Amino acid sequence: MAGILIYSDQDPLSFELLTAARYIAENTGAAVKAVSINNHAQAEALAGRGAESYRIDGKEIILEDTAAVARALKGAVETLDTDVVLLSANRRGKELAGRLAQMLDAGCLSDVNALAVRSGRIECTRNALGGATVAVQTVTSKRKVIALSAKVFAAAPDGVGHISDLTLDVKGSGIKLMESRAKAEEAAHIETAAVLVVVGQGLENRKDLAIVKRIADSLKGEVACSKPVATDKKWLAEDRIIGLSGKICKPDLAILLGVSGQVQFMVGIRDAKTIVAINRDENACIMQNADYIMTADLQDVLPELSRALTGTVPS
Amino acid sequence: MNIVVAMKQIPDLQQIRIRNRCPVLDDVPLTLGKIDKNALEAGLKIRENAGNKGRVIVVSAGNRDIEETVKEALAAGADEACIVVDEAASDLESSISAILLAAAIKRIGVADIILFGEGSGDNYSGQVGARVAEILDLPQVGYAGNVETTGRTARITRVLEDREEIVEVELPVVVCILADINEPRIPSVSQILKAGKKHKEIIEIDDLTMETSGRRIETISNLAPETARKREPVNTCGALCAVLEKEGFWAR
C-alpha cells in the first residue's frame, strides 16, 4: 500500500488522525504523512508528535474555500504518493471529503465511528438507515477517503518528527470570506455529562421542566431532550437534542422521561451505561431498550421522584 | 434565475422495522428526505426574495417509483422535475448518485444555485453535493444556514460547530443546506392535485452516455445494534431511588 495522508483543520482532531493512520500503517506497512495548510503551528505540533509533517502554503487556499483545500490535498496525494486520506468528520472535514473523493476518483466513507484493519482491508463502521442499523463498509477503489469521527482514536503521544515544505500551485474557486464570528458559548454540554435526564414528547406540561431540572440537579446531571421537544415545542434549546441530528452521548446514566425510543433518538443514547425509562405506555419501544423500566404517568411520578431524590416538596 | 434542488428518495425511516437484527424494508413507503425538504424550502424562499423570478427545478435519481415520489416536491412548490430513472439501482452509492444528478443538471442547462441537504436522511454521507460541485467545476458552500442573492452574487452563512462565517461567491454555486433551518411548507389539496400536471423530464439511464464506473464501496454487514439491556421493572419512586443508590448515581 502506498502512503496514508492525514489532514484536519483542527489540531486535536489531527492528532487523533495520526494515531488512526499509524494503526492502519502497522497493519499494512504504509507510510504516514501529515499535511497542514497555511498553519505552521499545526505542522510543528504534528512533528512534535512524531509525524512526517508537510506545510502547504498558498494565498488562495483559504479554509472557507472547500474546493481550494481539496485541490491542495489532491496535490499532496499525488506528490507524496498516498492512497488513503484520513480526514476529520467535523463539518469542514465532511464537506471536504466528498469534493476530494470526486477529484481522486475515490470511494469515501464519512462519520466513521470505528475502524479496523482485517485481511488488509480497512473496515469502517458507521450508522446507516437513519441510525436503525450499523453498517460495516470498506472502500474498494484504489484511492480511499475516510472521514473519522472525533474520539475514535486517542491523540498521538509526543515524539520526534520532521517538517518539510510542499510547494503546490493551487487556485481558489472564487469564495470570498466576508465575516467570521465565534458562536455564543453553548450553555449545555450534554455530550460530556455523566448523567442525563432526558425529556421526550410524553412530557405534557412545560412547567414540569422545572421539576425535571431539579431531578437532574440532584443527580449532578444535565437536562437533554428528544428532537421535537426542542424543534417543535421549543421548550429547550437545540443544543440539548440527543439523536442522529443532535448529539451522540455516552453518559453513565440516562433517565428517559416520556421518550418513545425511535431509532433516530436511540442512536444518540444507546451507548449509555445504564438507561432508566419512565413511560406511560408499557409497549413503547424504549421499554425494550432500557435497564430499568417504570410504567407510570409522568404527572404523578415527577413530583414524587423529585421529593424522593431531594427530600423536599417541589413548589 | 434557475434554482435546482437535488432530492433523494428514501424509505420512510419511521416505518423501518428490525427482524433478527436485519432491517425490513418491504412495504416501507418511499418519501423525500427531510433535510432535502429543508433545501427545497430554502430554494423557494431564495426565489421569493429575488422577486419570484426564475424557476425551481427538482432533480433526483432512483428507481421507477421516483416519478411518483417527486410529486411531493412539485406539490410543495417546485415548478418542474428532472429525474434519472435507473431501475437497477435500489441503493445508489454517493459516487454514482453524483454522476447521475450532475447529468440531470447538465440536461437542465442553466442552473444558478444548486441546493442539496447537508446529508440524506438514510445514509447521511453528505458527499453528493460536494461531488456534484466537483463534476460541474463549481464552488461549493456546505452547512448553509442562510442564503441571499443580490444580482449574480450569493451571500451565504456557513454554520460550523463553533463558528459562523459569511462568504460571498458569484453564481453559479452549489450550496448544501443545514438540517432544520426552516419549516417546509405543507401543500394544499389543490396544490397536490396540480402537482401531477407539472412538467417532469424523465431521463432513462440507458440514454445517458456516461461512465458510472462501478461501485467504490462494499458493505460487509448492515445490522441493527445488539441491545442487551436488563429490562428490569421498577414499580415505585422509592425502588428507583434504591436502584440509583445501588448503582452509585445517588446518595441519600
Side-chain angles (χ1 to χ4, degrees):
Chain A
M1 188 186 279
I4 304 165
L5 188 79
I6 66 161
Y7 169 75
S8 173
D9 62 305
Q10 300 290 324
D11 293 1
L13 299 177
S14 70
F15 302 154
E16 294 176 13
L17 295 180
L18 185 54
T19 307
R22 284 177 178 158
Y23 160 72
I24 297 170
E26 258 169 46
N27 288 279
T28 57
V32 176
K33 295 165 188 189
V35 292
S36 302
I37 296 176
N38 291 327
N39 188 346
H40 289 196
Q42 187 190 51
E44 275 162 37
L46 282 160
R49 290 173 190 256
E52 190 180 333
S53 183
Y54 291 85
R55 299 191 294 213
I56 301 174
D57 292 324
K59 230 178 22 217
E60 293 194 28
I61 323 172
I62 57 170
L63 289 186
E64 294 78 15
D65 188 342
T66 307
V69 176
R71 283 168 196 163
L73 292 181
K74 178 179 189 256
V77 163
E78 286 164 354
T79 315
L80 301 175
D81 186 29
T82 50
D83 276 348
V84 178
V85 182
L86 294 186
L87 302 172
S88 51
N90 58 343
R91 287 185 172 176
R92 283 241 199 266
K94 284 197 283 181
E95 194 181 328
L96 185 57
R99 186 94 189 202
L100 179 62
Q102 189 63 37
M103 283 180 186
L104 297 176
D105 195 18
C108 171
L109 291 168
S110 58
D111 288 314
V112 169
N113 52 40
L115 185 153
V117 178
R118 291 196 188 91
S119 346
R121 288 198 305 196
I122 305 168
E123 296 188 358
C124 298
T125 304
R126 61 187 305 277
N127 288 314
L129 283 175
T133 56
V134 174
V136 179
Q137 297 178 302
T138 189
V139 180
T140 52
S141 51
K142 180 167 176 283
R143 285 176 168 164
K144 309 168 205 298
V145 176
I146 296 169
L148 193 62
S149 297
K151 299 197 179 103
V152 178
F153 287 86
D158 291 347
V160 180
H162 58 91
I163 301 177
S164 318
D165 285 306
L166 190 59
T167 309
L168 299 167
D169 182 25
V170 176
K171 294 270 177 293
S173 73
I175 301 274
K176 285 195 282 262
L177 176 64
M178 309 309 285
E179 197 184 322
S180 176
R181 53 175 179 247
K183 278 191 198 169
E185 181 73 24
E186 281 191 13
H189 289 284
I190 60 169
E191 61 275 57
T192 53
V195 175
L196 289 175
V197 180
V198 187
V199 178
Q201 291 202 88
L203 187 79
E204 286 171 1
N205 294 315
R206 185 174 186 163
K207 66 175 176 43
D208 287 342
L209 282 175
I211 311 182
V212 173
K213 175 80 168 69
R214 195 187 300 247
I215 292 169
D217 287 346
S218 71
L219 295 165
K220 299 186 178 60
E222 285 279 349
V223 176
C225 62
S226 66
K227 194 169 181 191
V229 174
T231 54
D232 297 353
K233 292 183 169 176
K234 301 197 187 304
W235 286 3
L236 288 167
E238 296 193 7
D239 58 11
R240 291 182 190 270
I241 299 173
I242 285 177
L244 190 68
S245 53
K247 290 179 176 159
I248 310 289
C249 300
K250 299 174 179 175
D252 295 328
L253 170 68
I255 300 183
L256 310 182
L257 304 169
V259 171
S260 63
Q262 286 175 347
V263 289
Q264 292 78 16
F265 170 82
M266 289 309 294
V267 177
I269 203 73
R270 65 185 169 211
D271 292 328
K273 284 202 193 91
T274 301
I275 296 181
V276 175
I278 306 178
N279 203 301
R280 197 164 53 185
D281 177 7
E282 60 180 326
N283 296 319
C285 254
I286 193 61
M287 301 309 230
Q288 297 299 314
N289 292 303
D291 298 291
Y292 299 100
I293 54 180
M294 188 169 177
T295 310
D297 198 315
L298 289 178
Q299 300 249 60
D300 306 330
V301 168
L302 289 178
E304 207 185 313
L305 183 60
S306 169
R307 203 178 303 134
L309 288 169
T310 63
T312 56
V313 181
S315 50
Chain B
M1 181 159 62
N2 275 345
I3 299 165
V4 172
V5 185
M7 301 181 83
K8 183 180 179 187
Q9 170 177 261
I10 62 170
D12 184 343
L13 298 171
Q14 312 294 336
Q15 300 200 39
I16 295 175
R17 266 163 293 275
I18 301 292
R19 197 178 297 140
N20 299 327
R21 294 186 66 202
C22 293
V24 180
L25 293 171
D26 305 338
D27 301 324
V28 174
L30 295 164
T31 180
L32 294 169
K34 196 158 168 286
I35 312 175
D36 297 356
K37 290 178 186 169
N38 293 128
L40 175 61
E41 180 64 31
L44 295 168
K45 287 226 173 79
I46 294 167
R47 176 173 59 175
E48 280 165 16
N49 294 335
N52 270 325
K53 285 192 215 91
R55 302 181 70 69
V56 174
I57 305 155
V58 173
V59 295
S60 193
N63 64 9
R64 183 76 50 197
D65 295 329
I66 187 72
E67 289 179 41
E68 191 59 34
T69 309
V70 80
K71 280 187 193 162
E72 253 185 277
L74 294 171
D79 300 299
E80 58 188 282
C82 180
I83 53 191
V84 182
V85 175
D86 182 2
E87 200 47 48
S90 57
D91 181 24
L92 290 172
E93 73 174 57
S94 304
S95 60
I96 299 170
S97 294
I99 293 170
L100 299 182
L101 291 173
I105 294 165
K106 280 181 193 156
R107 183 72 65 97
I108 291 166
V110 182
D112 298 296
I113 300 183
I114 302 165
L115 299 172
F116 286 79
E118 61 168 84
S120 61
D122 56 350
N123 196 34
Y124 196 69
S125 86
Q127 296 173 33
V128 181
R131 283 184 181 271
V132 167
E134 175 60 21
I135 296 170
L136 301 176
D137 194 19
L138 295 177
Q140 69 179 83
V141 181
Y143 302 99
N146 190 46
V147 184
E148 290 164 21
T149 57
T150 312
R152 296 294 300 166
T153 303
R155 189 178 172 87
I156 302 160
T157 307
R158 183 194 267 130
V159 183
L160 298 173
E161 286 83 355
D162 58 346
R163 339 188 39 84
E164 287 189 2
E165 60 197 24
I166 297 172
V167 298
E168 283 191 359
V169 61
E170 296 298 297
L171 303 180
V173 62
V174 173
V175 181
C176 301
I177 296 289
L178 201 61
D180 302 318
I181 59 159
N182 52 38
E183 194 65 53
R185 59 198 72 184
I186 313 276
S188 65
V189 174
S190 73
Q191 283 174 309
I192 293 170
L193 293 173
K194 280 181 199 151
K197 298 193 187 78
K198 287 185 175 175
H199 178 66
K200 286 200 291 281
E201 173 151 7
I202 294 160
I203 306 169
E204 300 290 337
I205 183 88
D206 301 334
D207 298 343
L208 290 173
T209 49
M210 84 257 161
E211 186 59 48
T212 52
S213 67
R215 299 183 74 91
R216 292 170 179 80
I217 303 292
E218 181 190 331
T219 299
I220 298 161
S221 67
N222 186 21
L223 297 169
E226 268 180 308
T227 52
R229 297 282 173 186
K230 290 184 227 168
R231 300 201 290 252
E232 201 172 292
V234 177
N235 296 318
T236 64
C237 286
L240 179 56
C241 288
V243 163
L244 295 177
E245 192 173 16
K246 187 186 79 187
E247 300 240 1
F249 295 118
W250 179 70
R252 247 167 241 279

